[in-house]
Amino acid sequence: MTKLVIIGGVAGGATAATRARRVDEHAQIVLFERGEDVSFANCGLPYYIGGVIENRNDLLVSSPGQMKSRYKIEVRLRTEVTAIDRSNKRVLFKKVRTGQTGEESYDKIILAPGAEPVRPPLPGLDQEGIHSLRGLPDTDRIKARLDLNPVQSAVVVGGGFIGLEMAENLARRGVGVTVVEMLDQVMAPLDPEMAALVEDHLRAQGVRLILGDGVKSFARADGRLKVATQKGLEMDADLVLLAIGVRPESGLARAAGLETAPGGHIMVDETLRTSDPDIFAVGDAVMIKDFVTGRPVAVALAGPANKQARLAADNALGRRSIYRGSVGTAAVKVFGLTAASTGLSEKTLRAAGIPYLASYTHGSSHASYYPGSENMVVKLVFSPESGRLLGSQIVGGSGVDKRIDVLATAIRGGLTVFDLEELDLAYAPPYSSAKDPVNVAGFVAANLLKGDLVNILPQELAGLDPDRDVLVDLRQKVELDELGYLAGAVHWPLPELRRKLTDLDKSKRYVLYCAEGMRGYLAYRILAQHGFEAVNLSGGYDLIRPAADRLALKLQQPSRND
Ligand code: FAD
C-alpha cells in the first residue's frame, strides 16, 4: 500500500488527492492544508467581493467531511508542513493555531503549495487597509471593509487579471477605482495594441488608469491612505489592493534540497517528478514546458494546475502519464469586455527570436442581423513557413471565450492557418456566422501566406517613408468625420478607387486602411492586379485608434463629436 502525502489542498492538491483515490483504492492519502479550507474556488473570490456571487458557501467546492466520506482522504486542515526529511521519508508539520508539531511518514509526496502574492518592501505597506487577495481570509477582510464602512475610492496596484477583476468588482460596489500599473500596458500577456482595447474600455467605465508608473510608498493621514507613485503622483484611497503578481511558495522544496529555477519555481520533468524520484510537484509553484516552444515556463493558472495534478497522482501511484506542457490559455472579464489569449504573443516571439507573421481581423459573436451580436478583434501569430498557429489574442464582447478555446485546441493539435479556414464550426444565426471569426482569421492569415495579400501591422505604421508611401483612407467621409483619421492620409473612398487608377504612380507604395481591414483587402486586390505596390493595414483604423499614442501615430481628431 502506497502512502501518499499531499501538501496544499486547493486547486492542485485537492485534485491530486481525489484522482489518487480513483487510481488506487488501497493507497493511504493524507492531505495537509495550512489554511481553513480545502478546495475552495479562488477564481471566484473577486466576484464574491463584488456581490455577483452572493453566498460564501458557494465558493467551497468540497469539505474535509466529503473528502473523507467519498474519497477516504484524511485532510489535516490548519496544518503547515514545515520540513521534508527526505532521508527518513517523513514530513514534519505544525498546527497553525496551537503550534503543536508532529511528523508523518510517506512513500510519495505531491507538492501543491501554490504561489503567494508579491509584497515588495515598500514604505508603509503594513498600513491597515492594504490588502492582497489569495484566499478566503483575505476575501473576508476586503468584503468586511466594504460592507461595514463607506469606501469612496480604491487604488488597485497591478493591471493583471486579478487587478482588473477586482477593479470591476470594486466599481460594481460603487467604489471609484484607480489602477496603477508599472508596465505601460495592462494585461501583460497581451500585446500592447490589444491591451489598448482593454484600457479604452476601462476608461470608458470610469476607471482611472495610471500606466508606466509604480507605487513608491503608502502613508496614512486623516483616516485615509495616501498612495505615492514613483513619478510623483499622490492619491487618497480608503482601500488598496496589491495585485502585482505572485511568487512560487517553494521554500519547503528548496529547504528539502529539491532543484528549483532561479525564480524559485520547482523543476519537474514531464511526469511532474521533481529532482527527488519520490516527490512530485504541480501548479503555480512549478516550472513546466511551454507547449509551443518546449522552453521552460511558469503558468499560474487553475486549468494547468488541475491537469498536472491528475497526472502527478497517476505517476505517484505507479502509472506513467506525461504532461506535454501548457499553452497558457486565459480569459478575463473586464466589465462588458472579454480579453483572452492562448499560445505565444508577438512580444514573446520577438524576444525569443522566433520568426512569425501576425494578422488582425474583426468578427461578430453571431450573425449581425440577429439581435445582440457583439464585436471582437482576433489577432493570430503564425509561422511564416508552415502557417502553424503559434498564438492568438482576442478582445471583444460575447463569444470571445469560445473562439479562444477553438484556437487553443488548434495550437494543441498543431493546426495551421489553412486548417482554420476549413474548420466546420457550429452555425445558426444566434451562435455564429457561416464564416465564423475563427474561419475569417484563417482566411486572412492564409491569404498572406498565399501571396493574395500583403499586410502592414499597426506597429509598423510609424516607420512609413514619406517620399515613397502614400497613406490612403478608404472609408466613407462620415466615418472620418465621426472618428478622425491618420494624419497625412489622403481620402479615397473604396467605391472611387477604380476611377483613380489612371492617376496612380507605380513608383509609390500605397498604404491602405479602412475601419477593420476588409475594404483595405478589396482595394489591395484591385491595386495589386493593376501592377501597383500596396499594403493593407491589418486590423484597420478601429484597432489603432485606442492605441495611437502607444504606436506613436498622430490622429486627425474627428470634426464631429456628437
Ligand atoms: P493553490 O490553489 O494556491 O493552493 C495552494 C495551497 O497550498 C494553499 O491553500 C496554501 O495554503 C497551501 N500550502 C502552501 N504551503 C503549504 C504547506 N507548507 N503546508 C500546508 N499547506 C500549504 N486561474 C485561472 O485559471 N482562472 C482564473 O479566473 C483565476 N482567478 C483567480 C483569482 C484569484 C483571486 C486568485 C488568487 C487566483 C486566480 N487564479 C485563476 C489562479 C488559480 O487560482 C491558481 O493558478 C491555482 O489555484 C493554483 O493551484 P495550486 O494548487 O498550485 O495552488
Side-chain angles (χ1 to χ4, degrees):
M1 182 183 74
T2 307
K3 181 168 179 186
L4 175 62
V5 164
I6 296 175
I7 302 171
V10 188
T15 300
T18 52
R19 170 70 180 173
R21 174 55 70 225
R22 290 190 292 275
V23 171
D24 187 346
E25 176 60 17
H26 306 291
Q28 184 186 351
I29 304 173
V30 184
L31 183 152
F32 288 95
E33 168 54 53
R34 186 179 54 202
E36 301 278 330
D37 306 279
V38 272
S39 195
F40 65 90
N42 5 27
C43 308
L45 302 179
Y47 300 98
Y48 173 62
I49 292 170
V52 180
I53 298 167
E54 291 176 10
N55 187 347
R56 189 181 185 281
N57 282 335
D58 291 345
L59 296 168
L60 304 175
V61 182
S62 188
S63 66
Q66 196 184 38
M67 296 281 243
K68 180 97 196 154
S69 61
R70 187 178 283 189
Y71 296 103
K72 207 164 48 104
I73 293 166
E74 194 182 326
V75 174
R76 309 262 183 91
L77 277 188
R78 296 177 283 277
T79 310
E80 178 171 9
V81 174
T82 51
I84 303 172
D85 174 1
R86 288 163 59 201
S87 39
N88 295 304
K89 296 200 86 171
R90 56 185 191 141
V91 297
L92 310 184
F93 63 80
K94 186 173 87 180
K95 299 263 182 204
V96 173
R97 282 195 186 155
T98 60
Q100 185 196 337
T101 57
E103 62 178 62
E104 190 75 47
S105 63
Y106 71 84
D107 296 315
K108 306 282 176 194
I109 290 179
I110 297 177
L111 280 166
E116 59 190 342
V118 171
R119 283 180 78 88
L122 297 173
L125 187 68
D126 294 333
Q127 305 283 338
E128 201 198 320
I130 303 176
H131 303 268
S132 299
L133 179 60
R134 179 179 186 188
L136 278 162
D138 305 320
T139 307
D140 292 337
R141 275 190 291 274
I142 298 170
K143 190 152 189 314
R145 176 70 185 86
L146 289 162
D147 290 344
L148 298 177
N149 290 305
V151 171
Q152 276 172 16
S153 62
V155 171
V156 173
V157 188
F161 74 89
I162 294 178
L164 296 192
E165 285 178 353
M166 279 303 295
E168 173 181 352
N169 280 288
L170 288 167
R172 200 173 180 274
R173 301 212 37 177
V175 178
V177 181
T178 300
V179 175
V180 183
E181 167 59 60
M182 180 99 83
L183 298 176
D184 54 12
Q185 67 164 83
V186 299
M187 289 302 299
L190 298 181
D191 288 319
E193 74 290 353
M194 297 297 281
L197 301 169
V198 179
E199 291 153 16
D200 207 37
H201 187 69
L202 279 164
R203 291 191 183 102
Q205 301 300 316
V207 173
R208 182 178 173 215
L209 277 186
I210 298 171
L211 301 177
D213 195 0
V215 167
K216 189 178 73 177
S217 64
F218 302 97
R220 184 168 276 283
D222 310 323
R224 302 194 79 195
L225 287 161
K226 309 276 171 197
V227 183
T229 73
Q230 290 164 359
K231 291 191 176 165
L233 291 175
E234 291 193 356
M235 55 208 119
D236 289 347
D238 304 301
L239 186 148
V240 169
L241 182 86
L242 207 59
I244 55 173
V246 293
R247 77 161 64 90
E249 271 215 48
S250 55
L252 188 63
R254 272 201 312 276
L258 301 181
E259 193 189 334
T260 53
H265 292 90
I266 305 167
M267 299 302 292
V268 290
D269 67 10
E270 59 185 7
T271 64
L272 286 318
R273 201 182 293 263
T274 67
S275 51
D276 180 323
D278 293 324
I279 304 181
F280 296 77
V282 301
D284 287 1
V286 303
M287 184 66 90
I288 50 155
K289 218 169 60 176
D290 182 291
F291 180 81
V292 180
T293 63
R295 298 178 189 185
V297 69
V299 178
L301 289 170
N306 276 274
K307 281 144 217 161
Q308 292 157 22
R310 289 170 51 84
L311 304 180
D314 283 3
N315 295 328
L317 293 169
R319 294 190 181 184
R320 186 170 164 79
S321 298
I322 301 297
Y323 185 65
R324 291 196 289 145
S326 168
V327 293
T329 311
V332 59
K333 176 180 177 306
V334 186
F335 296 87
L337 208 66
T338 302
S341 60
T342 185
L344 302 177
S345 63
E346 191 178 347
K347 57 187 169 191
T348 322
L349 286 161
R350 213 180 300 126
I354 299 172
Y356 67 90
L357 286 177
S359 67
Y360 304 85
T361 43
H362 294 251
S364 298
S365 54
H366 58 258
S368 47
Y369 57 81
Y370 185 90
S373 90
E374 294 180 345
N375 296 330
M376 66 184 79
V377 181
V378 181
K379 177 175 186 176
L380 298 186
V381 283
F382 50 96
S383 158
E385 286 91 35
S386 63
R388 182 186 165 202
L389 188 62
L390 301 172
S392 175
Q393 296 164 38
I394 313 182
V395 177
S398 61
V400 166
D401 53 343
K402 114 167 153 171
R403 274 64 186 215
I404 206 73
D405 282 347
V406 171
L407 293 166
T409 310
I411 295 175
R412 187 86 199 181
L415 299 192
T416 67
V417 296
F418 305 110
D419 294 310
L420 300 186
E421 290 189 281
E422 291 179 19
L423 286 183
D424 282 336
L425 301 172
Y427 162 58
Y431 304 114
S432 181
S433 301
K435 291 186 277 243
D436 187 87
V438 169
N439 298 131
V440 174
F443 297 151
V444 171
N447 280 343
L448 292 170
L449 292 176
K450 290 176 196 157
D452 284 341
L453 173 65
V454 179
N455 263 352
I456 184 165
L457 298 177
Q459 44 279 32
E460 294 165 341
L461 268 188
L464 294 189
D465 174 357
D467 293 332
R468 174 170 169 252
D469 291 320
V470 181
L471 189 58
V472 183
D473 192 319
L474 297 155
R475 296 171 301 158
Q476 295 298 314
K477 182 169 183 310
V478 59
E479 297 173 82
L480 276 68
D481 291 347
E482 275 178 14
L483 300 168
Y485 55 95
L486 275 165
V490 294
H491 180 216
W492 298 343
L494 176 66
E496 294 169 23
L497 187 65
R498 285 192 180 86
R499 281 202 298 277
K500 291 206 175 289
L501 286 174
T502 48
D503 304 334
L504 301 192
D505 179 347
K506 291 219 161 129
S507 69
K508 299 283 185 194
R509 182 175 75 152
Y510 293 93
V511 179
L512 310 165
Y513 75 90
C514 60
E516 298 187 344
M518 180 63 190
R519 283 170 286 180
Y521 168 50
L522 300 178
Y524 172 87
R525 295 301 306 153
I526 295 169
L527 293 188
Q529 290 180 68
H530 283 88
F532 294 101
E533 186 185 357
V535 289
N536 178 34
L537 173 62
S538 195
Y541 187 77
D542 288 359
L543 173 65
I544 59 172
R545 198 160 71 101
D549 287 347
R550 182 162 297 163
L551 297 167
L553 299 175
K554 193 165 173 319
L555 300 189
Q556 200 64 45
Q557 289 310 317
S559 55
R560 262 178 41 195
N561 281 318
D562 48 340

